[in-house]
């Protein structure tokens, strides 16, 4: 049933088809009386500016518009009408699309193969001509001549919508168009657009990553194997770079790619690993302390947890480490290690190893305490645990049962040997919380055994205080 609009002196009604003739009409919901007889091939309800409603109607093969008294508002002369709630709406005439109002006044001329409103404002329309896309204003002014084979709204690595659309030209080269400024950022010349921040864009050309400003000026040439924003809000923050299998920083701070791992741990500090242990450096590359650790968390209120030899302590920004004490937390600091272990335990068919894996990958009391400390109620986890909607033990058990079930399904597909983890593409996480370096992974992972490929989707793995934890069950695939 549609919205009740009796307050506008128009009774709530519904479009119905006559089962005998197939013709459409309108009945009044409360009384069942006919408002409009079964006389039309099709009807669509529309609303006018004064809150009254009317109908787009099809008769004798053509569309027009009528009011509730069947008075013709728009002549029956259109191939199609896509009323979108605006004064001027898309319609087709003689095989071409434009926009028209109830008085028949045309704004966007009927010269396009398709016309659709871009977003809810109705100020910009996407038009298609000869299989190419462009943009025009609601008044018909051409903003961008149709010259692009596709367009996609770009979300950044914080999973936030942006005003940018990625446009692809007939040579498969890409550029950006800004919906707010209605301008192209630069000529279409890149193979891919990886990410966008406030004023910078990560671009890809011939498989190499670089950075340009949002008006096309080169910041970093396309020579890196991977680039990643550590902040999409603050352009003064450096970027993570990868050259070969080594990581470094570029931008406001430059550190040559020399580390096996490099991660932001908040406050302008980074944890780096050259061999097996981690140490902390500042944005100049200077070590905060000479001591190395098995794992390092994230700075919160000037203190960071450091882990060594099964004990934990807190260190301040000057490198002073407090007293070590036993701790009860575990987890994976790198996704590659997590998925390699998963391949191994799924291959062994050993339930005890599978349970150990599930304990490492699911939240624990330490996870809860850290999330409370930074007020991160991801997926209502804190709320649900505190209100006893479920327990952390039940999350672990649910993961165990789901992986058990998936292992049986994989067995049916003929996976009887050793699974091999194939790897991840570089653009696989998004920043959930920049300040505390919280990232979320939602992509699929590929495992392989012989010629058989297995697709696995964890649904939601989130790195909390440097460890990847699961807050949803993996999808059955």
């Amino acid at each position: 049933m549609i919205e009740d609009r009796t307050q506008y002196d128009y009774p709530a009604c519904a479009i119905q088809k006559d089962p005998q003739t197939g013709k459409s009409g309108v009945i009044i919901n409360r009384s069942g009386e006919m408002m409009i007889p079964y006389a039309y091939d099709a009807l669509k309800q529309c609303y006018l500016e004064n809150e009254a409603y009317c109908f787009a109607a099809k008769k004798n093969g053509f569309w027009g518009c009528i009011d509730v008294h069947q008075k013709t508002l728009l002549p029956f002369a259109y191939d199609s009408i896509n009323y979108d709630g605006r004064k001027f709406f898309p319609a087709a005439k003689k095989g071409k699309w434009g926009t028209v109002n109830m008085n028949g006044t045309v704004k966007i001329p009927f010269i396009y193969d398709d016309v659709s409103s871009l977003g809810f404002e109705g100020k910009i329309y996407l038009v298609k001509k000869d299989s190419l896309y462009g943009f025009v204003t609601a008044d018909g002014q051409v903003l961008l001549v149709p010259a692009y084979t596709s367009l996609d709204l770009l979300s950044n690595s914080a999973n936030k919508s942006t005003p940018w659309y990625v446009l692809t030209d007939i040579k498969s080269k890409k550029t950006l168009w800004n919906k707010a400024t209605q301008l192209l950022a630069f000529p279409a010349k890149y193979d891919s657009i990886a990410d966008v921040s406030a004023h910078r864009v990560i671009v890809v050309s011939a498989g190499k990553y670089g950075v340009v400003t949002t008006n096309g000026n080169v910041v970093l040439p396309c020579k890196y194997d991977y680039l990643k924003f550590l902040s999409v809000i603050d352009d003064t923050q450096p970027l993570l770079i990868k050259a070969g299998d080594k990581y470094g920083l570029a931008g406001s701070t430059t550190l040559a790619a020399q580390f096996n791992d490099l991660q932001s741990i908040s406050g302008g500090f980074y944890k780096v690993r050259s061999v097996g242990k981690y140490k902390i450096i500042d944005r100049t590359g200077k070590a905060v302390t000479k001591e190395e650790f098995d794992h390092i968390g994230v700075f919160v209120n000037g203190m960071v947890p450091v882990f060594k030899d099964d004990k934990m302590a807190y260190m301040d920004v000057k490198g002073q480490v407090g007293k070590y004490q036993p701790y009860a937390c575990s987890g994976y600091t790198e996704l590659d290690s997590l998925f390699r272990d998963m391949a191994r335990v799924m291959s062994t068919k050993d339930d005890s190893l599978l349970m150990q894996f599930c304990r490492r990958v699911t939240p624990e009391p330490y996870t809860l305490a850290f999330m409370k400390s930074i007020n991160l109620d991801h997926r209502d986890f804190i709320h649900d645990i505190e209100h006893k909607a479920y327990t952390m033990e039940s999350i672990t058990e649910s993961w165990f049962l789901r992986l058990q079930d998936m292992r049986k399904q994989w067995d049916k597909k003929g996976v009887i040997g050793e699974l091999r983890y194939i790897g991840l593409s570089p653009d696989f996480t998004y920043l959930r919380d920049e300040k505390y370096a919280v990232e979320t992974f939602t992509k699929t992972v590929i495992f392989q055994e012989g010629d058989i490929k297995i697709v696995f989707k964890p649904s939601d793995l989130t790195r909390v205080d440097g460890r990847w934890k699961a807050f949803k069950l993996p999808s059955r695939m």
Side-chain angles (χ1 to χ4, degrees):
M1 188 175 75
I2 66 167
E3 178 186 359
D4 186 351
R5 306 180 74 83
T6 52
Q7 64 269 40
Y8 304 116
D9 298 323
Y10 290 90
C13 61
I15 297 169
Q16 284 193 353
K17 275 193 175 184
D18 185 342
Q20 303 296 324
T21 66
K23 296 291 186 179
S24 294
V26 179
I27 65 165
I28 298 172
N29 286 338
R30 290 180 179 174
S31 66
E33 297 176 20
M34 294 299 300
M35 175 187 288
I36 295 175
Y38 296 122
Y40 298 92
D41 300 329
L43 289 168
K44 300 177 186 177
Q45 193 160 13
C46 312
Y47 291 106
L48 302 177
E49 287 184 328
N50 62 358
E51 301 295 347
Y53 51 70
C54 64
F55 297 90
K58 185 178 183 182
K59 194 171 186 179
N60 298 325
F62 290 98
W63 285 86
C65 290
I66 60 173
D67 65 13
V68 295
H69 305 294
Q70 299 185 73
K71 177 184 176 181
T72 299
L73 302 175
L74 186 65
F76 287 84
Y78 299 88
D79 304 332
S80 185
I81 290 175
N82 285 348
Y83 185 79
D84 58 6
R86 298 178 179 88
K87 186 175 182 180
F88 287 85
F89 48 87
K93 193 172 186 179
K94 296 182 180 179
K96 295 296 181 180
W97 285 82
T99 60
V100 65
N101 68 2
M102 290 295 180
N103 297 321
T105 304
V106 174
K107 284 291 185 180
I108 298 175
F110 288 88
I111 59 174
Y112 298 103
D113 301 326
D114 196 13
V115 173
S116 58
S117 179
L118 197 68
F120 297 106
E121 299 89 352
K123 296 179 180 178
I124 301 173
Y125 282 78
L126 172 68
V127 295
K128 185 179 181 181
K129 191 172 185 180
D130 298 329
S131 300
L132 298 175
Y133 294 94
F135 298 108
V136 300
T137 67
D139 291 329
Q141 177 189 351
V142 177
L143 298 174
L144 199 62
V145 173
Y148 300 92
T149 58
S150 68
L151 74 158
D152 299 284
L153 183 61
L154 180 63
S155 293
N156 60 26
S157 56
N159 205 30
K160 303 294 185 183
S161 296
T162 72
W164 295 102
Y165 281 81
V166 180
L167 307 182
T168 305
D169 71 5
I170 57 175
K171 295 181 180 180
S172 298
K173 296 300 182 181
K174 301 184 188 300
T175 182
L176 287 177
W177 183 79
N178 191 300
K179 181 181 174 182
T181 63
Q182 301 175 2
L183 296 173
L184 281 176
F186 38 75
K189 60 181 180 178
Y190 297 104
D191 298 329
S192 179
I193 307 293
D195 201 2
V196 62
S197 67
H199 301 99
R200 299 180 296 178
V201 185
I202 297 178
V203 295
V204 183
S205 182
K208 296 294 184 179
Y209 288 69
V211 177
V212 298
T213 64
T214 49
N215 58 10
N217 295 326
V218 175
V219 177
L220 294 173
C222 292
K223 67 176 186 178
Y224 299 96
D225 294 316
Y226 178 57
L227 285 173
K228 177 181 179 179
F229 288 126
L230 297 177
S231 172
V232 294
I233 300 172
D234 183 2
D235 279 341
T236 66
Q237 294 294 317
L239 292 90
L240 177 72
I241 64 172
K242 185 179 182 183
D245 60 353
K246 301 295 183 181
Y247 294 90
L249 296 173
S252 57
T253 298
T254 300
L255 286 176
Q258 57 188 292
F259 303 106
N260 292 336
D261 190 21
L262 187 156
Q263 298 174 28
S264 171
I265 55 172
S266 186
F269 294 97
Y270 309 89
K271 69 175 185 181
V272 295
R273 177 172 58 81
S274 295
V275 187
K277 301 282 188 177
Y278 284 94
K279 64 180 179 180
I280 299 176
I281 62 172
D282 62 21
R283 64 177 55 190
T284 68
K286 180 181 178 182
V288 175
T289 175
K290 294 181 178 180
E291 192 171 358
E292 295 185 332
F293 307 95
D294 299 325
H295 173 60
I296 299 168
V298 176
F299 274 100
V300 179
N301 298 324
M303 303 296 289
V304 61
V306 292
F307 301 82
K308 188 175 184 180
D309 300 330
D310 296 325
K311 292 185 178 181
M312 181 185 78
Y314 283 93
M315 188 180 81
D316 63 22
V317 293
K318 296 181 179 180
Q320 298 298 313
V321 180
K323 184 179 179 180
Y324 281 97
Q325 55 189 355
Y327 70 93
C329 59
S330 63
Y332 294 92
T333 61
E334 298 174 15
L335 283 174
D336 283 336
S337 296
L338 186 156
F339 292 124
R340 277 194 294 267
D341 261 15
M342 179 178 168
R344 179 177 60 83
V345 300
M346 293 292 274
S347 298
T348 63
K349 313 296 192 290
D350 186 326
D351 282 349
S352 63
L353 290 178
L354 184 60
M355 178 56 81
Q356 288 178 24
F357 171 78
C358 292
R359 288 195 180 106
R360 291 192 70 184
V361 83
T362 50
E364 54 202 350
Y366 181 88
T367 311
L368 178 65
F370 177 80
M371 292 175 70
K372 284 183 176 180
S373 72
I374 65 169
N375 195 30
L376 176 71
D377 199 5
H378 179 49
R379 295 196 177 278
D380 295 324
F381 173 69
I382 295 174
H383 174 274
D384 289 348
I385 291 295
E386 290 183 339
H387 289 79
K388 299 181 179 180
Y390 49 78
T391 65
M392 282 179 276
E393 292 79 7
S394 69
I395 300 175
T396 303
E397 181 67 19
S398 296
W399 250 75
F400 173 76
L401 293 174
R402 176 62 58 87
L403 292 187
Q404 257 193 339
D405 180 62
M406 292 175 68
R407 189 167 61 188
K408 292 176 183 177
Q409 297 301 316
W410 295 359
D411 286 347
K412 291 179 181 178
K413 292 182 178 181
V415 180
I416 56 175
E418 184 174 344
L419 277 176
R420 184 165 57 92
Y421 162 58
I422 301 300
L424 300 167
S425 63
D427 305 317
F428 56 80
T429 65
Y430 67 85
L431 287 166
R432 180 165 291 279
D433 187 308
E434 285 187 7
K435 183 176 181 181
Y436 297 110
V438 178
E439 293 184 89
T440 293
F441 172 85
T442 58
K443 302 292 185 180
T444 55
V445 179
I446 305 295
F447 297 106
Q448 187 166 352
E449 190 272 317
D451 295 330
I452 302 173
K453 286 189 176 180
I454 298 293
V455 178
F456 173 71
K457 187 172 183 180
S459 295
D460 182 330
L461 288 172
T462 297
R463 186 160 62 185
V464 178
D465 199 32
R467 288 188 171 93
W468 291 98
K469 294 294 179 179
F471 292 87
K472 283 182 66 179
L473 284 176
S475 300
R476 289 189 174 94
M477 298 184 70

